[in-house]
């Protein structure tokens, strides 16, 4: 049967809706499965309707119910009459005592009853399905409307439920189903009636609604292309913003507007942020890549005179840019320093933002000692004073009017203010890049200098929050500590430098209340599980090696992952798994050749000590050890490790133990599961 469901609502807010969008189809499928109904369907949506269309089975599938009761010795009493347990089982199954039967299940005779519940008509179940589906949707926040007790992201104004062109009568969320929908607001506020599913689709188009989101997207992109051809400008195509405008329009129309060139004196990031976040406009750029004084608005209005729409949007943007220009000029005239940060509390127990700057400066100084050569070469001489200045100015823009208004521009605005005051270019760049990488896929700081500032900030955040026991639990991470930890790893790998987490945490711990540094080290290195596509047991094996240097861990994971993916590895690895399991907690001593009784012992020991192992070539190092498989197999085949002589036993364990210890410099191979 052809199915059409439309849940008509007041305008859905784009971002909450888009967050739930990927769950809508699975949630409807889950409700259908619960009611045992086959249905092939697809989802469409506009800001005023959620539509499900497809083919639904006429009947729900029959449901087989099996009940297993008490064993025979309990179901029958000593007189072979039915016991209370049997009587209760019959009542539960809705059968008479004469219908009770035993079946052998898992070798035991038990009461057993099987029944088939005939599937109901889909049209009878549809009201329950739709109501349960609506209640399953989670958009973060819900609201009530009128005197109703119901909650949803926005008020529900209409319900369409049709099977084979026939209306399924129901009342859901206080709304009675009918064969009518609300058109685009330009066409009026009265509902449009229709008589069939086909007529529903044609009536939508005639009443200003493009139901399919992909079709709305393509219309927008086509009009973007036309605007670019006519203007000679280039639209910055922000996919997230495009998703938003697709979600908030029913009949999108792309229009180009402009603003006064004097506003281009304000940093381009401010203008672009104001356009995107406040107005959902797309910025336009000149051929040289510079921001132009034009924008594109995707309007949901239908009008014969587009100039009215353009002028209205220009007026709104002009007001916002006027505010931004005022903030910019006001901030340039004000002091730019860290002094005002003393008045901003960071977190209870961690002092002010100024205190945070001081701690970050101390961390930067410790890092500067470790990477002094690289920093000097890059900076072209002594750098420590400028590094101090970069750190102490890094959060100064938090006190500016512009960042108060546009919080996402912190760091970026600070770099502009520092540049205006003719700070060193390294200082300017470090302020701008201090929060990088700030999301998955974002860039890392470009220089060692900027990287030290970014690392100092992230390390202080982690040390500070752990020292006051603000540690993430489950999915909750209000202070984005996982992102900070992943950022440290990405910066280190980007620079390709040695970075011993254990050593560095110990160096900087003096400025914080005492806590278990191992817990923070583990928290940071655990981010590696999310950064590689490797078998998790491979990552665990490398972490359990005891390596705390991020660069070495990276090399170990990559090398072991590549080796473990070899077609023969799984077949051959059992030898090394056995080797690792035999060692366990055994004490490894120096091998005594005089205690060897079998040629296999001597062969394996000689093969091992003859290896040319270069730990700097991690993959080569591991491959060389894995190449000992023939000698290890022969050793296991011919040597009884558990000798009655404790000295010989200890020596035999140590022969393979020294191989295990060599592996342990890269990975604890007993943790690998293939």
């Amino acid at each position: 049967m052809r199915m059409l469901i439309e849940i008509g609502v007041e305008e859905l807010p784009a971002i909450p809706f888009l967050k739930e969008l990927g769950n809508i189809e699975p949630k409807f499928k889950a409700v259908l499965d619960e009611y045992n109904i086959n249905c092939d369907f697809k989802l469409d949506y506009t800001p005023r309707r959620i539509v499900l269309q497809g083919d639904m089975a006429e009947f729900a599938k029959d449901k087989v119910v099996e009940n297993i009761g008490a064993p025979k010795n309990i179901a029958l009493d000593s007189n072979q009459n039915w016991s209370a347990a049997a009587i209760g089982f019959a009542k539960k199954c809705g059968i008479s005592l004469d219908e009770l039967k035993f079946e052998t299940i898992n070798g035991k005779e038990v009461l057993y009853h099987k029944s088939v519940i005939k599937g109901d008509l889909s049209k009878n179940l549809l009201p329950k399905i739709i109501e349960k589906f609506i209640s399953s949707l989670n958009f973060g926040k819900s609201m009530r409307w009128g005197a109703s007790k119901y909650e949803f992201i926005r008020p529900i104004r209409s319900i369409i439920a049709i099977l084979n062109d026939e209306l399924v009568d129901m009342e859901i969320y206080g709304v009675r189903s009918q064969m009518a929908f609300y058109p685009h607001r330009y066409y009026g506020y009265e509902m449009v009636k229709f008589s069939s599913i086909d007529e529903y689709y044609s009536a939508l188009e005639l009443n200003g609604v493009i139901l399919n989101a992909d079709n709305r997207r393509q219309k927008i992109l086509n009009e973007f292309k036309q605007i670019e051809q006519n203007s000679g400008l280039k639209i910055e195509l922000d996919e997230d913003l495009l998703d938003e405008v697709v979600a908030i329009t029913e009949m999108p129309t792309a229009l180009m507007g402009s603003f006064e060139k004097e506003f281009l004196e304000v940093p381009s990031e401010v203008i672009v942020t104001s356009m995107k976040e406040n107005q959902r406009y797309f910025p336009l750029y000149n051929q040289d890549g510079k921001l132009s004084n034009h924008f594109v608005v995707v309007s949901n209005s239908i009008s014969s005179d587009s100039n009215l729409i353009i002028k209205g949007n220009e007026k709104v943007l002009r007001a916002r840019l006027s505010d931004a220009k005022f903030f910019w000029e006001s901030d340039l005239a004000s002091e730019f320093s860290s002094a005002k940060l003393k008045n901003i509390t960071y977190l209870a127990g961690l002092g002010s933002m100024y205190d945070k700057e001081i701690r970050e400066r101390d961390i930067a100084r410790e890092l500067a000692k470790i990477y002094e050569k690289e920093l000097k070469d890059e900076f072209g001489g002594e750098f420590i004073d400028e590094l101090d200045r970069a750190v102490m100015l890094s959060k100064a823009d938090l006190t500016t009017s512009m960042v108060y208004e546009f919080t996402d521009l912190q760091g970026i605005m600070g770099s502009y203010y520092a540049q205006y005051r003719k700070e060193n270019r390294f200082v300017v760049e470090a302020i701008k890049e201090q929060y990088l990488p700030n999301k998955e896929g974002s860039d890392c700081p470009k220089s060692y200098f900027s990287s030290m500032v970014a690392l100092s900030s992230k390390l202080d955040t982690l040390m500070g929050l752990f020292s006051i026991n603000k540690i993430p639990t489950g999915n909750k991470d209000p202070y984005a500590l996982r992102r900070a930890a992943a950022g440290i790893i990405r910066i280190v790998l980007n620079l390709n430098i040695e970075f011993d987490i254990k050593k560095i945490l110990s160096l900087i711990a003096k400025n914080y209340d005492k806590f278990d540094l191992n817990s923070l080290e583990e928290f940071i290195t655990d981010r590696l599980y999310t950064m590689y596509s490797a078998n998790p047991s491979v990552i665990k094996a490398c972490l359990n090696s005891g390596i705390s240097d991020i660069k070495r861990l990276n090399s170990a994971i990559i090398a072991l992952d590549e080796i473990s993916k070899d077609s023969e590895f799984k077949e051959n690895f059992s030898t090394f798994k056995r080797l690792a399991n035999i060692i366990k907690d055994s004490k490894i001593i120096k091998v005594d050749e005089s205690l060897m009784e079998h040629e296999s012992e001597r062969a394996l020991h000689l093969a091992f000590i003859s290896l040319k192992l270069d730990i700097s070539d991690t993959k080569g190092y591991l491959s060389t050890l894995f190449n000992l498989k023939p000698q290890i197999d022969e050793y296991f085949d011919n040597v009884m490790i558990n000798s009655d002589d404790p000295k010989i036993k200890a020596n035999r364990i140590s022969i393979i133990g020294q191989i295990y210890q060599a592996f342990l410099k890269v990975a604890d191979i007993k943790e690998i599961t293939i």
Side-chain angles (χ1 to χ4, degrees):
M1 294 191 300
R2 288 186 72 189
M3 173 202 73
L4 173 66
I5 298 170
E6 183 196 271
I7 302 161
V9 294
E10 293 188 7
E11 272 79 358
L12 295 164
I15 293 177
F17 176 77
L18 290 171
K19 286 180 179 178
E20 179 69 355
L21 179 59
N23 300 322
I24 294 178
E25 286 186 332
K27 285 184 175 180
F28 187 64
K29 177 68 165 57
V31 178
L32 291 171
D33 290 345
E34 183 180 337
Y35 285 90
N36 235 12
I37 293 179
N38 287 329
C39 182
D40 294 322
F41 67 93
K42 72 168 189 172
L43 167 72
D44 283 308
Y45 64 90
T46 77
R48 300 181 68 201
R49 67 203 80 235
I50 297 171
V51 178
L52 297 155
Q53 52 183 302
D55 293 303
M56 178 176 282
E58 185 176 358
F59 289 89
K61 291 180 290 184
D62 294 345
K63 186 176 182 181
V64 177
V65 179
E66 294 182 285
N67 287 304
I68 299 173
K72 190 172 184 178
N73 63 327
I74 295 176
L76 295 171
D77 62 21
S78 57
N79 297 320
Q80 296 300 294
N81 294 319
W82 294 116
S83 67
I87 294 170
F89 181 75
K91 185 177 180 180
K92 173 185 176 183
C93 297
I95 59 176
S96 67
L97 294 177
D98 293 338
E99 295 176 276
L100 286 174
K101 293 179 181 179
F102 292 104
E103 289 283 344
T104 301
I105 298 176
N106 296 329
K108 184 182 292 186
E109 278 193 284
V110 295
L111 287 170
Y112 176 82
H113 181 261
K114 179 179 178 180
S115 62
V116 177
I117 300 175
K118 190 70 175 173
D120 197 356
L121 282 167
S122 295
K123 70 177 182 179
N124 294 337
L125 298 173
L126 199 56
K128 296 177 182 177
I129 290 170
I130 295 175
E131 185 160 12
K132 182 163 281 193
F133 164 66
I134 292 173
S135 65
S136 73
L137 299 179
N138 180 10
F139 299 99
K141 290 184 178 181
S142 296
M143 62 178 291
R144 291 185 181 182
W145 56 96
S148 71
K149 62 181 179 180
Y150 307 106
E151 292 186 359
F152 197 57
I153 184 173
R154 287 294 183 269
I156 295 175
R157 297 305 188 195
S158 63
I159 296 286
I160 297 171
I162 301 174
L163 292 175
N164 274 359
D165 289 338
E166 289 188 9
L167 180 70
V168 180
D169 185 48
M170 64 182 73
E171 183 175 313
I172 295 176
Y173 281 55
V175 179
R176 177 68 60 182
S177 62
Q178 55 183 313
M179 295 181 75
F181 64 85
Y182 282 103
H184 190 291
R185 293 197 187 281
Y186 175 81
Y187 285 85
Y189 296 91
E190 298 297 322
M191 298 186 76
V192 176
K193 294 182 179 181
F194 60 93
S195 58
S196 68
I197 292 177
D198 288 337
E199 189 180 340
Y200 167 80
Y201 293 119
S202 59
L204 277 176
E205 289 278 0
L206 292 171
N207 285 275
V209 178
I210 300 177
L211 181 59
N212 184 269
D214 289 337
N215 291 343
R216 297 199 300 276
R217 179 186 298 269
Q218 193 56 54
K219 183 177 188 295
I220 293 169
L221 292 175
N222 290 342
E223 291 175 1
F224 277 6
K225 186 175 181 180
Q226 191 63 50
I227 288 172
E228 288 180 331
Q229 290 175 350
N230 293 340
S231 67
L233 301 172
K234 183 70 176 175
I235 298 173
E236 180 190 337
L237 191 59
D238 184 320
E239 290 293 341
D240 290 337
L241 182 57
L242 182 58
D243 287 341
E244 278 193 60
V245 298
V246 167
I248 63 173
T249 56
E250 292 194 310
M251 182 63 73
T253 303
L255 303 168
M256 187 175 78
S258 63
F259 56 89
E260 290 78 358
K261 288 186 177 181
E262 65 183 75
F263 291 123
L264 293 175
E265 297 171 11
V266 177
S268 60
E269 291 89 344
V270 176
I271 299 172
V272 171
T273 299
S274 184
M275 284 185 187
K276 290 182 177 181
E277 293 188 2
N278 299 131
Q279 302 304 128
R280 295 191 179 100
Y281 296 161
F282 292 82
L284 283 156
Y285 290 83
N286 297 310
Q287 294 300 324
D288 60 3
K290 292 183 178 180
L291 183 68
S292 77
N293 64 319
H294 296 84
F295 66 92
V296 171
V297 56
V298 178
S299 174
N300 191 41
S301 298
I302 300 173
S303 173
S304 57
D305 187 359
S306 60
N307 286 327
L308 289 175
I309 300 172
I310 293 171
K311 287 180 180 178
N313 283 277
E314 288 176 341
K315 182 178 180 181
V316 172
L317 181 60
R318 186 179 299 111
R320 292 196 175 277
L321 294 183
S322 294
D323 289 343
K325 189 169 185 289
F326 172 79
F327 296 146
W328 168 245
E329 292 171 348
S330 176
D331 288 338
L332 290 181
S334 302
E335 179 187 8
F336 183 67
S337 73
S338 58
K340 293 180 182 178
L341 294 173
K342 295 177 181 179
N343 300 320
I344 301 177
T345 300
Y346 174 43
L347 279 171
L350 294 175
S352 66
M353 287 302 302
Y354 183 84
D355 296 323
K356 177 172 172 58
E357 298 276 61
I358 295 295
R359 292 193 301 269
E360 290 181 11
R361 183 197 63 189
D362 291 345
I363 294 173
R365 288 176 177 178
E366 292 292 347
L367 295 177
K369 294 174 186 176
I370 300 172
Y371 306 106
E372 183 176 9
K373 181 182 182 304
E374 291 86 348
L375 285 163
K376 274 188 175 180
D377 289 347
E378 178 181 84
F379 197 80
E382 292 301 323
F383 59 86
I384 195 66
D385 289 343
E386 296 300 335
L387 184 61
D388 281 356
R389 187 149 183 81
V391 173
M392 294 305 295
L393 287 176
S394 62
K395 309 294 188 299
D397 63 359
L398 296 180
T399 65
T400 63
S401 300
M402 191 71 85
V403 171
Y404 182 83
E405 181 71 16
F406 301 101
T407 55
D408 288 347
L409 295 181
Q410 52 189 280
I412 293 172
M413 293 313 304
S415 69
Y416 276 108
Y417 298 136
Q419 184 179 35
Y420 178 79
R421 288 162 177 79
K422 305 201 181 322
E423 297 287 347
N424 182 284
R425 67 179 180 86
F426 281 96
V427 173
V428 172
E429 187 178 78
I431 294 172
K432 184 177 183 178
E433 297 180 344
Q434 63 180 296
Y435 298 106
L436 297 180
N438 53 10
K439 60 182 177 181
E440 187 176 350
S442 73
D443 293 334
C444 289
K446 297 183 184 69
S447 64
Y448 277 95
F449 189 95
S450 293
S451 296
M452 295 305 112
V453 175
L455 285 170
S456 300
S457 178
K458 290 169 173 57
L459 284 166
D460 173 71
T461 297
L462 288 163
M463 289 288 292
L465 272 295
F466 267 67
S467 73
I468 59 173
N469 200 33
K470 298 288 187 182
I471 302 171
T473 56
N475 293 326
K476 295 181 178 179
D477 187 8
Y479 301 103
L481 299 190
R482 293 187 180 95
R483 186 171 64 194
I488 290 171
I489 295 173
R490 285 191 56 199
I491 291 171
V492 169
L493 297 182
N494 181 62
L495 294 177
N496 194 30
I497 54 174
E498 294 179 358
F499 194 89
D500 191 316
I501 284 287
K502 187 181 293 291
K503 175 183 174 182
I504 287 172
L505 293 182
S506 297
L507 278 174
I508 64 178
K510 59 183 178 293
N511 288 334
Y512 306 89
D513 291 340
K514 286 187 178 180
F515 67 94
D516 181 11
L517 292 178
N518 291 328
S519 66
L520 178 51
E521 179 188 348
E522 183 179 342
F523 179 83
I524 294 172
T525 54
D526 273 354
R527 297 311 104 211
L528 293 168
Y529 284 104
T530 66
M531 300 175 72
Y532 299 88
S533 59
N535 182 329
S537 71
V538 166
I539 299 173
K540 183 178 181 181
C542 296
L543 291 176
N544 283 15
S545 68
I547 299 172
S548 57
D549 176 66
I550 290 175
K551 181 180 178 180
R552 283 190 60 203
L553 279 170
N554 177 64
S555 298
I557 292 168
I558 292 173
L560 187 55
D561 179 49
E562 289 179 1
I563 291 171
S564 69
K565 288 177 178 175
D566 187 274
S567 58
E568 297 181 359
F569 183 81
K570 184 175 182 179
E571 179 183 345
N572 297 334
F573 184 64
S574 57
T575 295
F576 298 93
K577 192 76 171 179
R578 181 182 177 189
L579 178 150
N581 288 335
I582 288 173
I583 300 305
K584 290 185 179 177
D585 298 322
S586 300
K587 184 178 180 181
I588 309 302
I589 60 175
K590 184 178 180 181
V591 174
D592 186 344
E593 295 184 15
S594 67
L595 294 175
M596 297 180 185
E597 297 179 338
H598 296 276
E599 184 57 34
S600 297
E601 294 179 81
R602 298 184 186 93
L604 177 57
H605 179 60
L606 179 61
F608 174 72
I609 62 176
S610 301
L611 295 177
K612 294 181 180 179
L613 295 171
D614 180 7
I615 195 70
S616 65
D617 175 14
T618 311
K619 186 176 180 181
Y621 179 92
L622 288 173
S623 296
T624 302
L625 289 173
F626 280 122
N627 286 337
L628 289 173
K629 183 183 184 301
Q631 293 92 333
I632 297 172
D633 284 338
E634 188 177 338
Y635 181 82
F636 284 147
D637 290 342
N638 298 310
V639 176
M640 179 68 71
I641 293 177
N642 289 323
S643 170
D644 293 334
D645 185 328
K647 289 186 178 179
I648 293 177
K649 177 181 177 181
N651 198 58
R652 288 175 177 173
I653 289 175
S654 295
I655 290 172
I656 57 174
Q658 62 186 346
I659 300 172
Y660 176 74
Q661 286 184 328
F663 271 113
L664 201 57
K665 291 180 180 179
V666 176
D668 186 351
I669 56 174
K670 74 173 183 294
E671 299 294 343
I672 301 175
T673 55
I674 302 295

